[in-house]
mmCIF file of all heavy atoms in Angstrom:
data_model
loop_
_atom_site.group_PDB
_atom_site.id
_atom_site.type_symbol
_atom_site.label_atom_id
_atom_site.label_comp_id
_atom_site.label_asym_id
_atom_site.label_seq_id
_atom_site.Cartn_x
_atom_site.Cartn_y
_atom_site.Cartn_z
ATOM 1 N N SER P 1 142.544 60.732 55.884
ATOM 2 C CA SER P 1 141.911 59.939 56.941
ATOM 3 C C SER P 1 141.573 60.801 58.173
ATOM 4 O O SER P 1 140.994 60.277 59.122
ATOM 5 C CB SER P 1 142.843 58.827 57.354
ATOM 6 O OG SER P 1 144.073 59.289 57.878
ATOM 7 N N THR P 2 141.967 62.121 58.182
ATOM 8 C CA THR P 2 141.617 62.940 59.329
ATOM 9 C C THR P 2 140.135 63.027 59.492
ATOM 10 O O THR P 2 139.395 63.332 58.552
ATOM 11 C CB THR P 2 142.245 64.347 59.093
ATOM 12 O OG1 THR P 2 143.652 64.238 58.835
ATOM 13 C CG2 THR P 2 141.969 65.267 60.288
ATOM 14 N N PRO P 3 139.669 62.881 60.737
ATOM 15 C CA PRO P 3 138.219 62.951 61.021
ATOM 16 C C PRO P 3 137.634 64.343 60.592
ATOM 17 O O PRO P 3 138.307 65.351 60.642
ATOM 18 C CB PRO P 3 138.133 62.782 62.532
ATOM 19 C CG PRO P 3 139.340 62.002 62.894
ATOM 20 C CD PRO P 3 140.455 62.495 61.942
ATOM 21 N N LYS P 4 136.378 64.338 60.179
ATOM 22 C CA LYS P 4 135.760 65.531 59.654
ATOM 23 C C LYS P 4 135.757 66.672 60.669
ATOM 24 O O LYS P 4 136.008 67.838 60.324
ATOM 25 C CB LYS P 4 134.329 65.244 59.204
ATOM 26 C CG LYS P 4 133.623 66.410 58.530
ATOM 27 C CD LYS P 4 132.255 66.032 58.024
ATOM 28 C CE LYS P 4 131.606 67.169 57.273
ATOM 29 N NZ LYS P 4 131.489 68.431 58.028
ATOM 30 N N PRO P 5 135.503 66.427 61.993
ATOM 31 C CA PRO P 5 135.540 67.543 62.922
ATOM 32 C C PRO P 5 136.880 68.319 62.905
ATOM 33 O O PRO P 5 136.918 69.521 63.058
ATOM 34 C CB PRO P 5 135.265 66.884 64.279
ATOM 35 C CG PRO P 5 134.500 65.677 63.949
ATOM 36 C CD PRO P 5 135.021 65.217 62.642
ATOM 37 N N LEU P 6 137.966 67.561 62.764
ATOM 38 C CA LEU P 6 139.271 68.232 62.750
ATOM 39 C C LEU P 6 139.477 68.977 61.397
ATOM 40 O O LEU P 6 140.045 70.052 61.376
ATOM 41 C CB LEU P 6 140.390 67.220 62.952
ATOM 42 C CG LEU P 6 140.492 66.589 64.318
ATOM 43 C CD1 LEU P 6 141.666 65.658 64.429
ATOM 44 C CD2 LEU P 6 140.616 67.667 65.404
ATOM 45 N N ARG P 7 139.000 68.397 60.314
ATOM 46 C CA ARG P 7 139.100 69.054 59.050
ATOM 47 C C ARG P 7 138.311 70.353 59.055
ATOM 48 O O ARG P 7 138.742 71.371 58.510
ATOM 49 C CB ARG P 7 138.605 68.142 57.942
ATOM 50 C CG ARG P 7 139.362 66.838 57.816
ATOM 51 C CD ARG P 7 138.920 66.005 56.604
ATOM 52 N NE ARG P 7 139.397 66.574 55.385
ATOM 53 C CZ ARG P 7 140.604 66.372 54.896
ATOM 54 N NH1 ARG P 7 141.455 65.596 55.524
ATOM 55 N NH2 ARG P 7 140.978 66.959 53.760
ATOM 56 N N ASP P 8 137.161 70.297 59.701
ATOM 57 C CA ASP P 8 136.318 71.531 59.810
ATOM 58 C C ASP P 8 136.996 72.583 60.690
ATOM 59 O O ASP P 8 136.761 73.796 60.537
ATOM 60 C CB ASP P 8 134.943 71.186 60.389
ATOM 61 C CG ASP P 8 134.125 70.295 59.412
ATOM 62 O OD1 ASP P 8 134.468 70.277 58.212
ATOM 63 O OD2 ASP P 8 133.167 69.639 59.870
ATOM 64 N N ALA P 9 137.842 72.159 61.649
ATOM 65 C CA ALA P 9 138.461 73.091 62.561
ATOM 66 C C ALA P 9 139.704 73.726 61.975
ATOM 67 O O ALA P 9 140.212 74.703 62.524
ATOM 68 C CB ALA P 9 138.838 72.330 63.864
ATOM 69 N N LEU P 10 140.193 73.198 60.859
ATOM 70 C CA LEU P 10 141.486 73.661 60.271
ATOM 71 C C LEU P 10 141.456 75.210 59.999
ATOM 72 O O LEU P 10 142.439 75.887 60.397
ATOM 73 C CB LEU P 10 141.786 72.897 59.064
ATOM 74 C CG LEU P 10 142.992 73.390 58.208
ATOM 75 C CD1 LEU P 10 144.237 73.302 59.051
ATOM 76 C CD2 LEU P 10 143.161 72.547 56.945
ATOM 77 N N PRO P 11 140.474 75.735 59.335
ATOM 78 C CA PRO P 11 140.516 77.182 59.010
ATOM 79 C C PRO P 11 140.661 78.056 60.244
ATOM 80 O O PRO P 11 141.498 78.999 60.254
ATOM 81 C CB PRO P 11 139.222 77.421 58.293
ATOM 82 C CG PRO P 11 138.828 76.115 57.676
ATOM 83 C CD PRO P 11 139.265 75.131 58.701
ATOM 84 N N THR P 12 139.873 77.753 61.275
ATOM 85 C CA THR P 12 139.942 78.585 62.488
ATOM 86 C C THR P 12 141.280 78.400 63.210
ATOM 87 O O THR P 12 141.881 79.345 63.727
ATOM 88 C CB THR P 12 138.807 78.254 63.462
ATOM 89 O OG1 THR P 12 137.568 78.276 62.714
ATOM 90 C CG2 THR P 12 138.690 79.236 64.582
ATOM 91 N N ALA P 13 141.704 77.155 63.311
ATOM 92 C CA ALA P 13 143.006 76.889 63.926
ATOM 93 C C ALA P 13 144.117 77.652 63.195
ATOM 94 O O ALA P 13 145.053 78.217 63.873
ATOM 95 C CB ALA P 13 143.305 75.391 63.900
ATOM 96 N N ARG P 14 144.093 77.695 61.905
ATOM 97 C CA ARG P 14 145.094 78.371 61.157
ATOM 98 C C ARG P 14 145.049 79.895 61.417
ATOM 99 O O ARG P 14 146.143 80.516 61.499
ATOM 100 C CB ARG P 14 144.877 78.136 59.666
ATOM 101 C CG ARG P 14 145.993 78.600 58.762
ATOM 102 C CD ARG P 14 145.849 78.079 57.367
ATOM 103 N NE ARG P 14 146.947 78.568 56.484
ATOM 104 C CZ ARG P 14 147.093 78.200 55.235
ATOM 105 N NH1 ARG P 14 146.216 77.413 54.662
ATOM 106 N NH2 ARG P 14 148.078 78.649 54.514
ATOM 107 N N GLN P 15 143.897 80.414 61.656
ATOM 108 C CA GLN P 15 143.763 81.855 61.942
ATOM 109 C C GLN P 15 144.415 82.218 63.314
ATOM 110 O O GLN P 15 144.822 83.344 63.555
ATOM 111 C CB GLN P 15 142.325 82.277 61.973
ATOM 112 C CG GLN P 15 141.636 82.250 60.602
ATOM 113 C CD GLN P 15 140.129 82.485 60.669
ATOM 114 O OE1 GLN P 15 139.602 82.785 61.759
ATOM 115 N NE2 GLN P 15 139.439 82.418 59.547
ATOM 116 N N HIS P 16 144.456 81.239 64.169
ATOM 117 C CA HIS P 16 145.006 81.475 65.537
ATOM 118 C C HIS P 16 146.440 80.953 65.663
ATOM 119 O O HIS P 16 146.999 80.863 66.769
ATOM 120 C CB HIS P 16 144.160 80.743 66.582
ATOM 121 C CG HIS P 16 142.820 81.445 66.809
ATOM 122 N ND1 HIS P 16 141.776 81.321 65.960
ATOM 123 C CD2 HIS P 16 142.454 82.291 67.785
ATOM 124 C CE1 HIS P 16 140.736 82.034 66.408
ATOM 125 N NE2 HIS P 16 141.133 82.648 67.502
ATOM 126 N N THR P 17 147.066 80.702 64.538
ATOM 127 C CA THR P 17 148.460 80.205 64.522
ATOM 128 C C THR P 17 149.354 81.182 63.758
ATOM 129 O O THR P 17 148.989 81.677 62.702
ATOM 130 C CB THR P 17 148.528 78.831 63.799
ATOM 131 O OG1 THR P 17 147.621 77.932 64.434
ATOM 132 C CG2 THR P 17 149.928 78.267 63.882
ATOM 133 N N GLU P 18 150.496 81.509 64.350
ATOM 134 C CA GLU P 18 151.474 82.420 63.745
ATOM 135 C C GLU P 18 152.796 81.718 63.599
ATOM 136 O O GLU P 18 153.191 80.905 64.447
ATOM 137 C CB GLU P 18 151.580 83.680 64.583
ATOM 138 C CG GLU P 18 150.244 84.441 64.733
ATOM 139 C CD GLU P 18 150.435 85.775 65.479
ATOM 140 O OE1 GLU P 18 151.558 86.101 65.819
ATOM 141 O OE2 GLU P 18 149.407 86.420 65.728
ATOM 142 N N SER P 19 153.452 82.007 62.517
ATOM 143 C CA SER P 19 154.736 81.362 62.221
ATOM 144 C C SER P 19 155.889 81.994 63.018
ATOM 145 O O SER P 19 155.844 83.186 63.317
ATOM 146 C CB SER P 19 155.058 81.379 60.734
ATOM 147 O OG SER P 19 155.274 82.690 60.310
ATOM 148 N N ILE P 20 156.889 81.176 63.248
ATOM 149 C CA ILE P 20 158.133 81.627 63.846
ATOM 150 C C ILE P 20 159.242 81.487 62.804
ATOM 151 O O ILE P 20 159.406 80.440 62.182
ATOM 152 C CB ILE P 20 158.541 80.743 65.066
ATOM 153 C CG1 ILE P 20 157.495 80.856 66.192
ATOM 154 C CG2 ILE P 20 159.912 81.171 65.579
ATOM 155 C CD1 ILE P 20 157.712 79.879 67.312
ATOM 156 N N ASP P 21 159.896 82.565 62.553
ATOM 157 C CA ASP P 21 161.067 82.548 61.648
ATOM 158 C C ASP P 21 162.066 83.563 62.222
ATOM 159 O O ASP P 21 162.097 84.687 61.866
ATOM 160 C CB ASP P 21 160.675 82.924 60.220
ATOM 161 C CG ASP P 21 161.814 82.713 59.209
ATOM 162 O OD1 ASP P 21 162.955 82.424 59.667
ATOM 163 O OD2 ASP P 21 161.594 82.780 58.007
ATOM 164 N N PHE P 22 162.924 83.031 63.118
ATOM 165 C CA PHE P 22 163.819 83.909 63.906
ATOM 166 C C PHE P 22 165.278 83.590 63.539
ATOM 167 O O PHE P 22 165.699 82.401 63.571
ATOM 168 C CB PHE P 22 163.578 83.622 65.404
ATOM 169 C CG PHE P 22 164.548 84.322 66.328
ATOM 170 C CD1 PHE P 22 164.417 85.654 66.621
ATOM 171 C CD2 PHE P 22 165.574 83.595 66.924
ATOM 172 C CE1 PHE P 22 165.245 86.319 67.470
ATOM 173 C CE2 PHE P 22 166.460 84.234 67.773
ATOM 174 C CZ PHE P 22 166.299 85.582 68.077
ATOM 175 N N VAL P 23 165.998 84.591 63.145
ATOM 176 C CA VAL P 23 167.415 84.426 62.858
ATOM 177 C C VAL P 23 168.202 84.560 64.130
ATOM 178 O O VAL P 23 168.200 85.615 64.793
ATOM 179 C CB VAL P 23 167.879 85.448 61.791
ATOM 180 C CG1 VAL P 23 169.360 85.259 61.565
ATOM 181 C CG2 VAL P 23 167.106 85.271 60.527
ATOM 182 N N SER P 24 168.854 83.463 64.534
ATOM 183 C CA SER P 24 169.599 83.430 65.814
ATOM 184 C C SER P 24 170.983 84.019 65.650
ATOM 185 O O SER P 24 171.786 83.581 64.826
ATOM 186 C CB SER P 24 169.730 81.955 66.263
ATOM 187 O OG SER P 24 170.742 81.811 67.215
ATOM 188 N N PRO P 25 171.298 85.032 66.428
ATOM 189 C CA PRO P 25 172.663 85.570 66.414
ATOM 190 C C PRO P 25 173.744 84.550 66.764
ATOM 191 O O PRO P 25 174.771 84.450 66.146
ATOM 192 C CB PRO P 25 172.621 86.721 67.406
ATOM 193 C CG PRO P 25 171.191 87.152 67.465
ATOM 194 C CD PRO P 25 170.412 85.846 67.304
ATOM 195 N N ALA P 26 173.462 83.742 67.831
ATOM 196 C CA ALA P 26 174.441 82.763 68.297
ATOM 197 C C ALA P 26 174.700 81.705 67.247
ATOM 198 O O ALA P 26 175.849 81.371 66.935
ATOM 199 C CB ALA P 26 174.007 82.114 69.576
ATOM 200 N N LEU P 27 173.633 81.135 66.682
ATOM 201 C CA LEU P 27 173.765 80.088 65.654
ATOM 202 C C LEU P 27 174.395 80.651 64.393
ATOM 203 O O LEU P 27 175.192 79.961 63.692
ATOM 204 C CB LEU P 27 172.436 79.442 65.379
ATOM 205 C CG LEU P 27 171.909 78.555 66.476
ATOM 206 C CD1 LEU P 27 170.426 78.232 66.250
ATOM 207 C CD2 LEU P 27 172.692 77.274 66.643
ATOM 208 N N SER P 28 174.020 81.839 64.005
ATOM 209 C CA SER P 28 174.570 82.494 62.792
ATOM 210 C C SER P 28 176.033 82.737 62.950
ATOM 211 O O SER P 28 176.814 82.596 61.983
ATOM 212 C CB SER P 28 173.815 83.798 62.508
ATOM 213 O OG SER P 28 172.448 83.547 62.280
ATOM 214 N N THR P 29 176.476 83.124 64.124
ATOM 215 C CA THR P 29 177.926 83.293 64.388
ATOM 216 C C THR P 29 178.634 81.978 64.277
ATOM 217 O O THR P 29 179.724 81.914 63.681
ATOM 218 C CB THR P 29 178.113 83.917 65.777
ATOM 219 O OG1 THR P 29 177.528 85.224 65.827
ATOM 220 C CG2 THR P 29 179.617 84.021 66.098
ATOM 221 N N PHE P 30 178.055 80.933 64.820
ATOM 222 C CA PHE P 30 178.682 79.593 64.794
ATOM 223 C C PHE P 30 178.838 79.119 63.361
ATOM 224 O O PHE P 30 179.923 78.599 62.986
ATOM 225 C CB PHE P 30 177.843 78.601 65.568
ATOM 226 C CG PHE P 30 178.335 77.197 65.590
ATOM 227 C CD1 PHE P 30 179.225 76.743 66.491
ATOM 228 C CD2 PHE P 30 177.924 76.287 64.578
ATOM 229 C CE1 PHE P 30 179.745 75.444 66.505
ATOM 230 C CE2 PHE P 30 178.413 74.990 64.526
ATOM 231 C CZ PHE P 30 179.325 74.589 65.518
ATOM 232 N N TRP P 31 177.796 79.249 62.534
ATOM 233 C CA TRP P 31 177.850 78.748 61.160
ATOM 234 C C TRP P 31 178.386 79.772 60.131
ATOM 235 O O TRP P 31 178.758 79.330 59.012
ATOM 236 C CB TRP P 31 176.453 78.314 60.732
ATOM 237 C CG TRP P 31 176.028 77.029 61.357
ATOM 238 C CD1 TRP P 31 175.190 76.865 62.437
ATOM 239 C CD2 TRP P 31 176.425 75.728 60.953
ATOM 240 N NE1 TRP P 31 175.051 75.529 62.717
ATOM 241 C CE2 TRP P 31 175.806 74.770 61.825
ATOM 242 C CE3 TRP P 31 177.238 75.204 59.943
ATOM 243 C CZ2 TRP P 31 175.943 73.396 61.714
ATOM 244 C CZ3 TRP P 31 177.450 73.850 59.805
ATOM 245 C CH2 TRP P 31 176.793 72.941 60.701
ATOM 246 N N GLY P 32 178.512 81.004 60.488
ATOM 247 C CA GLY P 32 178.998 81.981 59.553
ATOM 248 C C GLY P 32 178.022 82.360 58.439
ATOM 249 O O GLY P 32 178.402 82.908 57.425
ATOM 250 N N ARG P 33 176.746 82.105 58.718
ATOM 251 C CA ARG P 33 175.646 82.474 57.797
ATOM 252 C C ARG P 33 174.340 82.531 58.577
ATOM 253 O O ARG P 33 174.290 81.981 59.697
ATOM 254 C CB ARG P 33 175.564 81.475 56.650
ATOM 255 C CG ARG P 33 175.339 80.046 57.125
ATOM 256 C CD ARG P 33 175.340 79.044 55.967
ATOM 257 N NE ARG P 33 175.311 77.642 56.351
ATOM 258 C CZ ARG P 33 174.243 76.969 56.716
ATOM 259 N NH1 ARG P 33 173.059 77.574 56.631
ATOM 260 N NH2 ARG P 33 174.308 75.681 57.062
ATOM 261 N N PRO P 34 173.346 83.169 58.088
ATOM 262 C CA PRO P 34 172.088 83.271 58.827
ATOM 263 C C PRO P 34 171.429 81.871 59.073
ATOM 264 O O PRO P 34 171.241 81.129 58.160
ATOM 265 C CB PRO P 34 171.132 84.144 57.925
ATOM 266 C CG PRO P 34 172.141 84.885 57.080
ATOM 267 C CD PRO P 34 173.288 83.938 56.824
ATOM 268 N N ILE P 35 171.168 81.592 60.348
ATOM 269 C CA ILE P 35 170.513 80.351 60.712
ATOM 270 C C ILE P 35 169.157 80.709 61.319
ATOM 271 O O ILE P 35 169.069 81.462 62.293
ATOM 272 C CB ILE P 35 171.360 79.568 61.715
ATOM 273 C CG1 ILE P 35 172.672 79.171 61.137
ATOM 274 C CG2 ILE P 35 170.564 78.302 62.198
ATOM 275 C CD1 ILE P 35 172.604 78.239 59.910
ATOM 276 N N HIS P 36 168.132 80.102 60.762
ATOM 277 C CA HIS P 36 166.764 80.361 61.187
ATOM 278 C C HIS P 36 166.236 79.338 62.174
ATOM 279 O O HIS P 36 166.448 78.140 61.985
ATOM 280 C CB HIS P 36 165.825 80.386 59.953
ATOM 281 C CG HIS P 36 166.126 81.460 58.968
ATOM 282 N ND1 HIS P 36 165.321 82.603 58.783
ATOM 283 C CD2 HIS P 36 167.152 81.646 58.094
ATOM 284 C CE1 HIS P 36 165.837 83.336 57.892
ATOM 285 N NE2 HIS P 36 166.972 82.799 57.404
ATOM 286 N N MET P 37 165.574 79.812 63.187
ATOM 287 C CA MET P 37 164.834 78.937 64.099
ATOM 288 C C MET P 37 163.362 79.053 63.723
ATOM 289 O O MET P 37 162.845 80.171 63.634
ATOM 290 C CB MET P 37 165.068 79.346 65.553
ATOM 291 C CG MET P 37 166.536 79.350 65.999
ATOM 292 S SD MET P 37 166.793 79.833 67.737
ATOM 293 C CE MET P 37 166.327 78.279 68.563
ATOM 294 N N ARG P 38 162.738 77.943 63.468
ATOM 295 C CA ARG P 38 161.413 77.989 62.889
ATOM 296 C C ARG P 38 160.423 77.219 63.757
ATOM 297 O O ARG P 38 160.767 76.286 64.513
ATOM 298 C CB ARG P 38 161.354 77.446 61.461
ATOM 299 C CG ARG P 38 162.130 78.296 60.465
ATOM 300 C CD ARG P 38 161.929 77.833 59.048
ATOM 301 N NE ARG P 38 162.433 78.781 58.084
ATOM 302 C CZ ARG P 38 163.667 78.796 57.579
ATOM 303 N NH1 ARG P 38 164.536 77.910 57.980
ATOM 304 N NH2 ARG P 38 164.011 79.737 56.656
ATOM 305 N N GLY P 39 159.104 77.528 63.599
ATOM 306 C CA GLY P 39 158.097 76.860 64.323
ATOM 307 C C GLY P 39 156.763 77.557 64.165
ATOM 308 O O GLY P 39 156.574 78.382 63.281
ATOM 309 N N TRP P 40 155.862 77.306 65.096
ATOM 310 C CA TRP P 40 154.518 77.865 65.077
ATOM 311 C C TRP P 40 154.104 78.239 66.504
ATOM 312 O O TRP P 40 154.426 77.519 67.468
ATOM 313 C CB TRP P 40 153.480 76.923 64.514
ATOM 314 C CG TRP P 40 153.832 76.450 63.113
ATOM 315 C CD1 TRP P 40 154.432 75.278 62.761
ATOM 316 C CD2 TRP P 40 153.519 77.099 61.890
ATOM 317 N NE1 TRP P 40 154.580 75.155 61.416
ATOM 318 C CE2 TRP P 40 154.008 76.247 60.862
ATOM 319 C CE3 TRP P 40 152.865 78.281 61.579
ATOM 320 C CZ2 TRP P 40 153.879 76.602 59.507
ATOM 321 C CZ3 TRP P 40 152.728 78.616 60.260
ATOM 322 C CH2 TRP P 40 153.238 77.776 59.199
ATOM 323 N N VAL P 41 153.316 79.293 66.617
ATOM 324 C CA VAL P 41 152.699 79.671 67.911
ATOM 325 C C VAL P 41 151.205 79.537 67.775
ATOM 326 O O VAL P 41 150.614 80.223 66.893
ATOM 327 C CB VAL P 41 153.069 81.133 68.329
ATOM 328 C CG1 VAL P 41 152.345 81.515 69.594
ATOM 329 C CG2 VAL P 41 154.605 81.249 68.523
ATOM 330 N N LEU P 42 150.601 78.668 68.575
ATOM 331 C CA LEU P 42 149.166 78.523 68.569
ATOM 332 C C LEU P 42 148.596 79.239 69.771
ATOM 333 O O LEU P 42 148.946 78.907 70.932
ATOM 334 C CB LEU P 42 148.804 77.032 68.606
ATOM 335 C CG LEU P 42 147.298 76.740 68.801
ATOM 336 C CD1 LEU P 42 146.476 77.248 67.600
ATOM 337 C CD2 LEU P 42 147.069 75.216 69.003
ATOM 338 N N LEU P 43 147.745 80.213 69.545
ATOM 339 C CA LEU P 43 147.170 81.039 70.594
ATOM 340 C C LEU P 43 145.788 80.423 71.012
ATOM 341 O O LEU P 43 145.051 79.909 70.147
ATOM 342 C CB LEU P 43 146.983 82.462 70.085
ATOM 343 C CG LEU P 43 148.254 83.138 69.624
ATOM 344 C CD1 LEU P 43 147.956 84.497 68.958
ATOM 345 C CD2 LEU P 43 149.228 83.320 70.792
ATOM 346 N N PRO P 44 145.460 80.487 72.326
ATOM 347 C CA PRO P 44 144.269 79.844 72.774
ATOM 348 C C PRO P 44 143.000 80.629 72.382
ATOM 349 O O PRO P 44 143.061 81.822 72.026
ATOM 350 C CB PRO P 44 144.429 79.840 74.270
ATOM 351 C CG PRO P 44 145.295 81.051 74.533
ATOM 352 C CD PRO P 44 146.228 81.119 73.354
ATOM 353 N N PRO P 45 141.832 79.997 72.444
ATOM 354 C CA PRO P 45 140.561 80.705 72.185
ATOM 355 C C PRO P 45 140.428 81.911 73.141
ATOM 356 O O PRO P 45 140.755 81.829 74.357
ATOM 357 C CB PRO P 45 139.498 79.637 72.472
ATOM 358 C CG PRO P 45 140.218 78.370 72.292
ATOM 359 C CD PRO P 45 141.615 78.561 72.745
ATOM 360 N N GLY P 46 139.980 83.008 72.605
ATOM 361 C CA GLY P 46 139.787 84.193 73.426
ATOM 362 C C GLY P 46 141.065 85.033 73.651
ATOM 363 O O GLY P 46 141.000 86.020 74.346
ATOM 364 N N TYR P 47 142.157 84.598 73.068
ATOM 365 C CA TYR P 47 143.371 85.374 73.240
ATOM 366 C C TYR P 47 143.219 86.795 72.678
ATOM 367 O O TYR P 47 142.781 87.040 71.597
ATOM 368 C CB TYR P 47 144.550 84.661 72.504
ATOM 369 C CG TYR P 47 145.864 85.406 72.631
ATOM 370 C CD1 TYR P 47 146.713 85.155 73.688
ATOM 371 C CD2 TYR P 47 146.289 86.318 71.640
ATOM 372 C CE1 TYR P 47 147.962 85.814 73.772
ATOM 373 C CE2 TYR P 47 147.498 86.984 71.734
ATOM 374 C CZ TYR P 47 148.331 86.706 72.795
ATOM 375 O OH TYR P 47 149.532 87.403 72.909
#
């Protein structure tokens, strides 16, 4: 159901998005195993 303009923007948006996969020392110490903090960074046009 996503509008066509947004569907058309997906490839370019994806090119300007980078993943976050960071292993936290503090959380890993707490749990006794590697704990990942995850997310995405979206960079603005012209970055």
Side-chain angles (χ1 to χ4, degrees):
S1 62
T2 302
K4 186 176 185 302
L6 291 183
R7 302 184 72 84
D8 293 342
L10 173 61
T12 309
R14 189 169 180 177
Q15 291 174 4
H16 287 78
T17 305
E18 299 183 5
S19 66
I20 298 171
D21 189 351
F22 174 77
V23 177
S24 162
L27 289 167
S28 299
T29 297
F30 178 88
W31 284 101
R33 57 184 173 84
I35 298 297
H36 296 251
M37 304 182 76
R38 294 187 168 92
W40 303 96
V41 176
L42 174 62
L43 302 171
Y47 178 87

